[in-house]
Amino acid sequence: ATISNSISNSNSNYNHNQHQHQNSATANVNSCLRALQTWAPAGIVEGLELIATGSGIPAIKSYAIRCLRAAAPRRIVFFLPQLVQSLRNDHDGQMQRFLSDAALANDLFAHQLIWALATEEKPPMEAFDPEVKRSGWKPPQDGGLWGVSGSLKSSVLGLLNSKSRRFWEAEENYFNRVTEISGILKKFDKEERKAKIAEVLKTFGPERMDLYLPTNPDLKVVRHIPSSGTPMQSAAKVPILVAFEVREEEEGGNENGNGSGNGNGNGNGNGNEEARKKDVMAKMSGRSDTSSSASTSNTINNNNNNN
């Protein structure tokens, strides 16, 4: 907090000092910015707070990125939706380089990043002329992320080595086959759909033992349960619920068969830290809440069946 306040106060002086103090304030700020090059990186939240302020000063942004680089990619995943949102102001490309480097260092981070970018890139053509248009429907509008999200996603995919690429393709293809069932069901009457879901689900399974639920990488997919497939009500699409049998694997890679888990991540239950995280996420997303959509299609209910 002290680091964040010091830099923020200096930045405020830099932008708002009265004219008669401008030279002195500028000298102080420049001295502070030079000192940043020698400071040890702070924590993730401090780095995110500096990015969220939108200072626009490259030295401050560089220090903030250095704070993120000092953390393990898996710890950054929680903030990916907000980091992707920050790309609209990433004119110097520092955030893009950080995200690319983190993706190359960790396959699970790469997967989550690709999914996050896919939600923000330009939608497919059918999104501009859907079969069913609800009241008040308007075509999608670019909020400043279509171009950078699409190009960064392509770049990350192109940088993956052959082993990482095979892992990504197996994960993506498996869940694509599940979500594509919704499109198949459109051709069938409502009373036929549940049986059709089970029929299609029986035709395939996970190709590898390390595939996981995109909403929780610690839950490795053993199989999906064909009899669980259930069509849901929707005017435009046919969303479905599908349950998965999973095995739980802790962050370190050790399997944990008892289904227990630590809800606060580190066991400390630090309420102040969690509150700061939520505040940073709200600032970076420009919203008053911190909710975000899951990485998987919202047509799937990832029920965790450990039996």
Side-chain angles (χ1 to χ4, degrees), residues 10-19 25:
S10 296
N11 185 34
S12 178
N13 289 335
Y14 182 78
N15 289 309
H16 302 295
N17 262 309
Q18 296 180 356
H19 179 71

mmCIF file with all atom_site columns, all heavy atoms in Angstrom, residues 10-19 25:
data_model
loop_
_atom_site.group_PDB
_atom_site.id
_atom_site.type_symbol
_atom_site.label_atom_id
_atom_site.label_alt_id
_atom_site.label_comp_id
_atom_site.label_asym_id
_atom_site.label_entity_id
_atom_site.label_seq_id
_atom_site.pdbx_PDB_ins_code
_atom_site.Cartn_x
_atom_site.Cartn_y
_atom_site.Cartn_z
_atom_site.occupancy
_atom_site.B_iso_or_equiv
_atom_site.pdbx_formal_charge
_atom_site.auth_seq_id
_atom_site.auth_comp_id
_atom_site.auth_asym_id
_atom_site.auth_atom_id
_atom_site.pdbx_PDB_model_num
ATOM 1  N N   . SER A 1 10 ? 2.882  10.864 -6.236  1.00 0.00 ? 10 SER A N   1
ATOM 2  C CA  . SER A 1 10 ? 3.823  11.513 -7.142  1.00 0.00 ? 10 SER A CA  1
ATOM 3  C C   . SER A 1 10 ? 3.177  11.772 -8.489  1.00 0.00 ? 10 SER A C   1
ATOM 4  O O   . SER A 1 10 ? 3.359  12.822 -9.100  1.00 0.00 ? 10 SER A O   1
ATOM 5  C CB  . SER A 1 10 ? 5.071  10.636 -7.319  1.00 0.00 ? 10 SER A CB  1
ATOM 6  O OG  . SER A 1 10 ? 5.758  10.500 -6.100  1.00 0.00 ? 10 SER A OG  1
ATOM 7  N N   . ASN A 1 11 ? 2.403  10.803 -8.956  1.00 0.00 ? 11 ASN A N   1
ATOM 8  C CA  . ASN A 1 11 ? 1.709  10.963 -10.230 1.00 0.00 ? 11 ASN A CA  1
ATOM 9  C C   . ASN A 1 11 ? 0.704  12.097 -10.152 1.00 0.00 ? 11 ASN A C   1
ATOM 10 O O   . ASN A 1 11 ? 0.537  12.871 -11.092 1.00 0.00 ? 11 ASN A O   1
ATOM 11 C CB  . ASN A 1 11 ? 1.006  9.658  -10.590 1.00 0.00 ? 11 ASN A CB  1
ATOM 12 C CG  . ASN A 1 11 ? 0.356  9.723  -11.959 1.00 0.00 ? 11 ASN A CG  1
ATOM 13 O OD1 . ASN A 1 11 ? 0.885  10.369 -12.855 1.00 0.00 ? 11 ASN A OD1 1
ATOM 14 N ND2 . ASN A 1 11 ? -0.772 9.057  -12.110 1.00 0.00 ? 11 ASN A ND2 1
ATOM 15 N N   . SER A 1 12 ? 0.021  12.224 -9.005  1.00 0.00 ? 12 SER A N   1
ATOM 16 C CA  . SER A 1 12 ? -0.939 13.307 -8.826  1.00 0.00 ? 12 SER A CA  1
ATOM 17 C C   . SER A 1 12 ? -0.234 14.653 -8.876  1.00 0.00 ? 12 SER A C   1
ATOM 18 O O   . SER A 1 12 ? -0.702 15.605 -9.505  1.00 0.00 ? 12 SER A O   1
ATOM 19 C CB  . SER A 1 12 ? -1.667 13.138 -7.490  1.00 0.00 ? 12 SER A CB  1
ATOM 20 O OG  . SER A 1 12 ? -2.563 14.203 -7.278  1.00 0.00 ? 12 SER A OG  1
ATOM 21 N N   . ASN A 1 13 ? 0.921  14.722 -8.216  1.00 0.00 ? 13 ASN A N   1
ATOM 22 C CA  . ASN A 1 13 ? 1.694  15.965 -8.269  1.00 0.00 ? 13 ASN A CA  1
ATOM 23 C C   . ASN A 1 13 ? 2.120  16.275 -9.694  1.00 0.00 ? 13 ASN A C   1
ATOM 24 O O   . ASN A 1 13 ? 2.097  17.420 -10.143 1.00 0.00 ? 13 ASN A O   1
ATOM 25 C CB  . ASN A 1 13 ? 2.939  15.846 -7.379  1.00 0.00 ? 13 ASN A CB  1
ATOM 26 C CG  . ASN A 1 13 ? 2.586  15.842 -5.902  1.00 0.00 ? 13 ASN A CG  1
ATOM 27 O OD1 . ASN A 1 13 ? 1.538  16.363 -5.518  1.00 0.00 ? 13 ASN A OD1 1
ATOM 28 N ND2 . ASN A 1 13 ? 3.445  15.244 -5.082  1.00 0.00 ? 13 ASN A ND2 1
ATOM 29 N N   . TYR A 1 14 ? 2.493  15.226 -10.396 1.00 0.00 ? 14 TYR A N   1
ATOM 30 C CA  . TYR A 1 14 ? 2.953  15.386 -11.773 1.00 0.00 ? 14 TYR A CA  1
ATOM 31 C C   . TYR A 1 14 ? 1.878  16.008 -12.657 1.00 0.00 ? 14 TYR A C   1
ATOM 32 O O   . TYR A 1 14 ? 2.149  16.813 -13.526 1.00 0.00 ? 14 TYR A O   1
ATOM 33 C CB  . TYR A 1 14 ? 3.350  14.011 -12.305 1.00 0.00 ? 14 TYR A CB  1
ATOM 34 C CG  . TYR A 1 14 ? 3.903  14.012 -13.712 1.00 0.00 ? 14 TYR A CG  1
ATOM 35 C CD1 . TYR A 1 14 ? 5.210  14.407 -13.961 1.00 0.00 ? 14 TYR A CD1 1
ATOM 36 C CD2 . TYR A 1 14 ? 3.112  13.605 -14.781 1.00 0.00 ? 14 TYR A CD2 1
ATOM 37 C CE1 . TYR A 1 14 ? 5.722  14.391 -15.243 1.00 0.00 ? 14 TYR A CE1 1
ATOM 38 C CE2 . TYR A 1 14 ? 3.614  13.587 -16.063 1.00 0.00 ? 14 TYR A CE2 1
ATOM 39 C CZ  . TYR A 1 14 ? 4.926  13.980 -16.287 1.00 0.00 ? 14 TYR A CZ  1
ATOM 40 O OH  . TYR A 1 14 ? 5.420  13.959 -17.555 1.00 0.00 ? 14 TYR A OH  1
ATOM 41 N N   . ASN A 1 15 ? 0.631  15.657 -12.395 1.00 0.00 ? 15 ASN A N   1
ATOM 42 C CA  . ASN A 1 15 ? -0.462 16.111 -13.248 1.00 0.00 ? 15 ASN A CA  1
ATOM 43 C C   . ASN A 1 15 ? -1.157 17.368 -12.746 1.00 0.00 ? 15 ASN A C   1
ATOM 44 O O   . ASN A 1 15 ? -1.752 18.100 -13.533 1.00 0.00 ? 15 ASN A O   1
ATOM 45 C CB  . ASN A 1 15 ? -1.500 14.989 -13.399 1.00 0.00 ? 15 ASN A CB  1
ATOM 46 C CG  . ASN A 1 15 ? -0.989 13.843 -14.246 1.00 0.00 ? 15 ASN A CG  1
ATOM 47 O OD1 . ASN A 1 15 ? -0.506 14.056 -15.340 1.00 0.00 ? 15 ASN A OD1 1
ATOM 48 N ND2 . ASN A 1 15 ? -1.081 12.625 -13.722 1.00 0.00 ? 15 ASN A ND2 1
ATOM 49 N N   . HIS A 1 16 ? -1.117 17.619 -11.428 1.00 0.00 ? 16 HIS A N   1
ATOM 50 C CA  . HIS A 1 16 ? -1.993 18.645 -10.873 1.00 0.00 ? 16 HIS A CA  1
ATOM 51 C C   . HIS A 1 16 ? -1.292 19.781 -10.115 1.00 0.00 ? 16 HIS A C   1
ATOM 52 O O   . HIS A 1 16 ? -1.961 20.663 -9.592  1.00 0.00 ? 16 HIS A O   1
ATOM 53 C CB  . HIS A 1 16 ? -3.013 17.972 -9.939  1.00 0.00 ? 16 HIS A CB  1
ATOM 54 C CG  . HIS A 1 16 ? -3.841 16.927 -10.625 1.00 0.00 ? 16 HIS A CG  1
ATOM 55 N ND1 . HIS A 1 16 ? -4.719 17.218 -11.642 1.00 0.00 ? 16 HIS A ND1 1
ATOM 56 C CD2 . HIS A 1 16 ? -3.904 15.583 -10.449 1.00 0.00 ? 16 HIS A CD2 1
ATOM 57 C CE1 . HIS A 1 16 ? -5.304 16.113 -12.054 1.00 0.00 ? 16 HIS A CE1 1
ATOM 58 N NE2 . HIS A 1 16 ? -4.821 15.102 -11.355 1.00 0.00 ? 16 HIS A NE2 1
ATOM 59 N N   . ASN A 1 17 ? 0.002  19.755 -9.984  1.00 0.00 ? 17 ASN A N   1
ATOM 60 C CA  . ASN A 1 17 ? 0.660  20.833 -9.245  1.00 0.00 ? 17 ASN A CA  1
ATOM 61 C C   . ASN A 1 17 ? 0.432  22.176 -9.922  1.00 0.00 ? 17 ASN A C   1
ATOM 62 O O   . ASN A 1 17 ? 0.329  22.268 -11.153 1.00 0.00 ? 17 ASN A O   1
ATOM 63 C CB  . ASN A 1 17 ? 2.171  20.574 -9.159  1.00 0.00 ? 17 ASN A CB  1
ATOM 64 C CG  . ASN A 1 17 ? 2.549  19.938 -7.836  1.00 0.00 ? 17 ASN A CG  1
ATOM 65 O OD1 . ASN A 1 17 ? 2.173  20.453 -6.784  1.00 0.00 ? 17 ASN A OD1 1
ATOM 66 N ND2 . ASN A 1 17 ? 3.267  18.835 -7.887  1.00 0.00 ? 17 ASN A ND2 1
ATOM 67 N N   . GLN A 1 18 ? 0.360  23.197 -9.133  1.00 0.00 ? 18 GLN A N   1
ATOM 68 C CA  . GLN A 1 18 ? 0.200  24.533 -9.680  1.00 0.00 ? 18 GLN A CA  1
ATOM 69 C C   . GLN A 1 18 ? 1.464  24.933 -10.427 1.00 0.00 ? 18 GLN A C   1
ATOM 70 O O   . GLN A 1 18 ? 2.555  24.402 -10.195 1.00 0.00 ? 18 GLN A O   1
ATOM 71 C CB  . GLN A 1 18 ? -0.085 25.525 -8.550  1.00 0.00 ? 18 GLN A CB  1
ATOM 72 C CG  . GLN A 1 18 ? -1.413 25.253 -7.840  1.00 0.00 ? 18 GLN A CG  1
ATOM 73 C CD  . GLN A 1 18 ? -1.676 26.239 -6.723  1.00 0.00 ? 18 GLN A CD  1
ATOM 74 O OE1 . GLN A 1 18 ? -0.825 27.080 -6.434  1.00 0.00 ? 18 GLN A OE1 1
ATOM 75 N NE2 . GLN A 1 18 ? -2.832 26.131 -6.114  1.00 0.00 ? 18 GLN A NE2 1
ATOM 76 N N   . HIS A 1 19 ? 1.307  25.906 -11.308 1.00 0.00 ? 19 HIS A N   1
ATOM 77 C CA  . HIS A 1 19 ? 2.383  26.275 -12.226 1.00 0.00 ? 19 HIS A CA  1
ATOM 78 C C   . HIS A 1 19 ? 3.656  26.671 -11.487 1.00 0.00 ? 19 HIS A C   1
ATOM 79 O O   . HIS A 1 19 ? 4.766  26.300 -11.897 1.00 0.00 ? 19 HIS A O   1
ATOM 80 C CB  . HIS A 1 19 ? 1.916  27.427 -13.117 1.00 0.00 ? 19 HIS A CB  1
ATOM 81 C CG  . HIS A 1 19 ? 2.967  27.902 -14.078 1.00 0.00 ? 19 HIS A CG  1
ATOM 82 N ND1 . HIS A 1 19 ? 3.362  27.149 -15.162 1.00 0.00 ? 19 HIS A ND1 1
ATOM 83 C CD2 . HIS A 1 19 ? 3.717  29.040 -14.092 1.00 0.00 ? 19 HIS A CD2 1
ATOM 84 C CE1 . HIS A 1 19 ? 4.302  27.804 -15.823 1.00 0.00 ? 19 HIS A CE1 1
ATOM 85 N NE2 . HIS A 1 19 ? 4.530  28.954 -15.198 1.00 0.00 ? 19 HIS A NE2 1
ATOM 86 N N   . ALA A 1 25 ? 8.113  19.954 -8.692  1.00 0.00 ? 25 ALA A N   1
ATOM 87 C CA  . ALA A 1 25 ? 7.324  18.716 -8.685  1.00 0.00 ? 25 ALA A CA  1
ATOM 88 C C   . ALA A 1 25 ? 7.830  17.756 -9.747  1.00 0.00 ? 25 ALA A C   1
ATOM 89 O O   . ALA A 1 25 ? 7.937  16.547 -9.515  1.00 0.00 ? 25 ALA A O   1
ATOM 90 C CB  . ALA A 1 25 ? 5.853  19.037 -8.918  1.00 0.00 ? 25 ALA A CB  1
#
